[in-house]
Amino acid sequence: MELWYTEKQTENYGITAKIENTIHTEQSEFQRIDLIETKQWGKMLVLDGMVMTTDKDEFVYHEMITHLAMNTHANPKRVLVVGGGDGGAIREMLKYPSVETAVLAEIDGRVIELSKEYLPEIAGKLDDPRVDVQVVDGIKYIHDNKNSFDVILVDSTEPVGPAVGLFARDFYQGIFEALKDDGIMVAQSESPWFNSELITRVYKDIASIFPITRYYSASIPTYPSGLWSWTMGSKKYDPLEVDEAKLIEPEGTKYYHKAMHKTVFTLPKFVGELLK
Amino acid sequence: MELWYTEKQTENYGITAKIENTIHTEQSEFQRIDLIETKQWGKMLVLDGMVMTTDKDEFVYHEMITHLAMNTHANPKRVLVVGGGDGGAIREMLKYPSVETAVLAEIDGRVIELSKEYLPEIAGKLDDPRVDVQVVDGIKYIHDNKNSFDVILVDSTEPVGPAVGLFARDFYQGIFEALKDDGIMVAQSESPWFNSELITRVYKDIASIFPITRYYSASIPTYPSGLWSWTMGSKKYDPLEVDEAKLIEPEGTKYYHKAMHKTVFTLPKFVGELLK
């Protein structure tokens, strides 16, 4: 018997992957969580039927949500990931020697526990002494921690279910207030092919709050359309104006390297037009 | 009844698209040809079970195989597409006013005829008076036309069946000889995720023939892994050294614009490492 997992990424299109076995399935307080072993991508974490991360291509997402902000900030000491219970963004942030505290604010403790158990390459750094894991609603956490962080990453699921509030203007305003005077935020911003209206709105919202707003994209095979994007809001530092000689080449990356720190903001024409 | 078309892009992974209807199916002398109407991507041309082009995302492939070479060459007058029977690359080449003759050397006349009938937005420019359509084996055509072209594009299918010879070093040597003294070639080079060995070999082969070799990638949702690539061999002009003030902004593009003419060569780290 051949088992295939098919994700309908839209009503009319999807990806399909051959399964070696299903590892774990549960309904947590917040969502359905599935861990499956695929032949093509290794282990896959699926939340509410949507691929969140896989062994083989997770590096793209986790490097790209992290390094543009971290390498733009002059001295990121106290950093936060909202969502991101798999720990991949935390792992990347810890590559900066300046980091003293990295807080993970994840609403679903089961995602953290299952990632630590089944995805140790991704979640393994959650046990680092610099990491403070908070099982908490990110919106509430942001509200309770004003003027606290140098960098905040919004590593959310799709804008359905528990993550809807993480795509709202009020939330970005809260992040602005949770950042210090020279802080930077980055939010994952979905696919330019399938979520163009959302991208336009999120960019406009962040640009209405932060003095510097930048948007970039990268290729992630298992995410809808294969093209993914992030929006950066920054109070002081512009990634396009950093002194390239001061950029760090983070250890063990496979997608990001400092040579792309500025070029990644040059977008395909139709993508750039979403921001106008 | 719901019909879905599934392409296994590897043994273990694929894409699946909801079908409105099947438009045409035939076995030509060279391959199976299917035209289907999908809800997500509009009409889709499928050769031997592999998506070649779709209404909605064809612009990425056709612009990106064409404009890097055409906008790097100082004065492309006589140009050639090997393969590319759908006419999309020819359409993009004709955007350069310097072009006097654009030859299409496609082995399968049925692909040309069906594209003209069912994909007029892509193939419509094949009737332009500057276009010379040759139904011919591209390898033979190259051999018979030495020192003839300013730009040659290798717009091949996957390296199976009729296209195997279009990925061989001998063929690239033939292209070198078919180009004039300042000529440029670009060959489609598959997915960095799924075809890494092929990419390394093709790059090495082209670099052993041409003084300047460059490699670039772009995001195409319906192609395997969503990340696609091209290899450029050039006798004289380096795309990284062109005077940006002299670049043309080709009309009606949706992916390429001259702002990305140099940045597109900055690769994801793991992709750049395939070329070492």
Side-chain angles (χ1 to χ4, degrees):
Chain A
M1 183 180 72
E2 275 195 5
L3 284 181
W4 287 71
Y5 162 70
T6 299
E7 177 185 339
K8 278 174 72 171
Q9 298 175 327
T10 73
E11 273 304 293
N12 301 309
Y13 184 69
I15 57 171
T16 187
K18 194 171 178 177
I19 302 299
E20 301 226 55
N21 57 293
T22 57
I23 298 168
H24 183 87
T25 294
E26 72 176 60
Q27 179 69 40
S28 77
E29 184 183 348
F30 299 98
Q31 54 207 334
R32 169 154 171 170
I33 306 173
D34 291 280
L35 276 145
I36 57 182
E37 175 87 30
T38 69
K39 292 244 183 204
Q40 188 72 50
W41 302 106
K43 286 195 287 294
M44 204 178 246
L45 171 65
V46 181
L47 299 181
D48 281 341
M50 293 170 281
V51 175
M52 288 299 114
T53 200
T54 85
D55 280 340
K56 296 277 178 67
D57 75 346
E58 58 89 8
F59 66 89
V60 185
Y61 179 81
H62 292 128
E63 293 177 15
M64 293 304 280
I65 195 174
T66 303
H67 294 299
L68 281 302
M70 292 296 284
N71 227 351
T72 294
H73 196 286
N75 188 29
K77 289 183 179 174
R78 190 168 162 80
V79 299
L80 167 66
V81 177
V82 177
D86 57 41
I90 292 283
R91 178 192 68 198
E92 295 302 314
M93 288 175 124
L94 293 179
K95 292 178 176 175
Y96 292 78
S98 60
V99 170
E100 295 169 358
T101 304
V103 179
L104 180 75
E106 162 67 53
I107 200 167
D108 192 341
R110 289 300 293 152
V111 172
I112 298 169
E113 288 155 21
L114 292 167
S115 297
K116 286 168 83 165
E117 184 170 355
Y118 295 112
L119 303 168
E121 298 294 321
I122 304 174
K125 293 288 182 187
L126 291 177
D127 293 325
D128 187 284
R130 291 166 288 176
V131 177
D132 173 12
V133 174
Q134 300 280 332
V135 179
V136 63
D137 180 345
I139 295 171
K140 183 172 183 309
Y141 187 84
I142 286 284
H143 185 264
D144 293 346
N145 288 272
K146 309 274 191 209
N147 192 32
S148 295
F149 292 100
D150 299 305
V151 171
I152 298 176
L153 307 181
V154 184
D155 183 1
S156 69
T157 53
E158 318 298 296
V160 290
V164 168
L166 304 183
F167 289 85
R169 189 185 183 286
D170 282 356
F171 178 61
Y172 303 134
Q173 179 65 43
I175 288 178
F176 184 89
E177 291 165 20
L179 285 168
K180 294 179 186 166
D181 286 348
D182 60 353
I184 305 178
M185 70 159 284
V186 166
Q188 79 88 353
S189 302
E190 304 283 307
S191 161
W193 289 92
F194 295 156
N195 310 91
S196 58
E197 287 174 24
L198 178 96
I199 287 166
T200 299
R201 183 181 61 69
V202 164
Y203 185 85
K204 203 175 138 192
D205 285 349
I206 291 177
S208 74
I209 298 167
F210 286 83
I212 297 160
T213 310
R214 303 286 178 218
Y215 176 93
Y216 58 97
S217 64
S219 172
I220 306 179
T222 61
Y223 278 15
S225 86
L227 183 64
W228 212 247
S229 74
W230 297 264
T231 310
M232 175 188 289
S234 180
K235 293 190 179 185
K236 178 179 170 186
Y237 305 109
D238 185 340
L240 296 175
E241 301 293 335
V242 293
D243 178 354
E244 294 188 58
K246 290 185 181 165
L247 291 175
I248 290 168
E249 196 72 82
E251 201 186 323
T253 61
K254 290 187 273 186
Y255 197 96
Y256 176 88
H257 51 139
K258 61 187 187 181
M260 70 161 59
H261 190 81
K262 293 182 180 178
T263 62
V264 76
F265 296 96
T266 303
L267 302 167
K269 192 176 173 189
F270 82 102
V271 180
E273 285 170 359
L274 300 179
L275 313 179
K276 283 178 184 164
Chain B
M1 184 179 73
E2 275 195 5
L3 284 180
W4 287 71
Y5 162 71
T6 300
E7 175 185 340
K8 277 174 73 172
Q9 298 175 327
T10 72
E11 272 306 293
N12 301 310
Y13 185 69
I15 57 170
T16 187
K18 194 171 178 177
I19 301 300
E20 301 226 58
N21 57 292
T22 57
I23 298 168
H24 183 87
T25 295
E26 74 176 61
Q27 180 69 40
S28 76
E29 185 183 347
F30 299 98
Q31 55 207 335
R32 167 150 175 175
I33 306 173
D34 289 286
L35 276 144
I36 57 181
E37 175 86 30
T38 68
K39 292 246 184 203
Q40 188 73 49
W41 302 107
K43 286 195 287 295
M44 205 178 244
L45 171 65
V46 181
L47 299 181
D48 281 343
M50 293 171 279
V51 175
M52 288 298 114
T53 200
T54 85
D55 280 340
K56 296 278 178 68
D57 75 346
E58 59 90 7
F59 67 89
V60 185
Y61 179 82
H62 292 129
E63 293 177 17
M64 292 305 279
I65 195 174
T66 303
H67 294 299
L68 281 302
M70 292 295 284
N71 227 352
T72 294
H73 196 287
N75 188 28
K77 289 183 179 175
R78 191 168 161 78
V79 298
L80 167 66
V81 177
V82 177
D86 57 41
I90 291 283
R91 178 193 68 197
E92 295 302 316
M93 288 175 124
L94 293 178
K95 292 178 176 175
Y96 292 76
S98 60
V99 169
E100 295 169 358
T101 304
V103 179
L104 180 75
E106 162 66 53
I107 200 167
D108 192 342
R110 290 300 294 152
V111 172
I112 299 170
E113 290 155 20
L114 291 167
S115 297
K116 286 167 83 165
E117 186 171 355
Y118 295 111
L119 303 167
E121 298 294 323
I122 304 174
K125 293 288 182 185
L126 292 176
D127 292 324
D128 187 285
R130 289 166 290 176
V131 177
D132 173 12
V133 175
Q134 300 279 333
V135 179
V136 63
D137 180 345
I139 295 171
K140 183 173 184 310
Y141 186 84
I142 286 283
H143 186 264
D144 293 345
N145 289 272
K146 308 275 190 208
N147 193 30
S148 295
F149 292 99
D150 299 306
V151 171
I152 297 176
L153 306 181
V154 184
D155 183 2
S156 68
T157 53
E158 317 298 295
V160 291
V164 168
L166 304 183
F167 289 85
R169 189 184 183 285
D170 282 356
F171 179 61
Y172 303 134
Q173 180 64 42
I175 287 178
F176 185 89
E177 291 165 20
L179 286 167
K180 294 180 187 167
D181 285 348
D182 60 354
I184 306 178
M185 70 159 284
V186 167
Q188 79 87 353
S189 301
E190 304 284 306
S191 161
W193 288 92
F194 295 157
N195 310 92
S196 58
E197 287 174 24
L198 178 96
I199 287 166
T200 300
R201 182 179 63 68
V202 165
Y203 185 84
K204 203 174 139 193
D205 284 349
I206 291 177
S208 73
I209 298 168
F210 286 83
I212 297 160
T213 310
R214 302 286 176 220
Y215 176 92
Y216 58 98
S217 63
S219 171
I220 306 179
T222 61
Y223 279 15
S225 86
L227 183 64
W228 212 247
S229 73
W230 298 265
T231 310
M232 174 187 290
S234 180
K235 292 189 178 185
K236 177 178 170 186
Y237 305 108
D238 185 340
L240 296 175
E241 301 293 333
V242 293
D243 178 354
E244 294 187 58
K246 290 186 181 164
L247 290 174
I248 289 168
E249 196 72 82
E251 202 186 322
T253 60
K254 288 186 275 186
Y255 198 97
Y256 176 89
H257 51 138
K258 61 187 187 181
M260 70 161 60
H261 191 83
K262 294 183 180 178
T263 62
V264 76
F265 295 96
T266 302
L267 302 167
K269 192 175 173 189
F270 81 102
V271 180
E273 285 171 358
L274 301 178
L275 313 178
K276 283 177 186 167

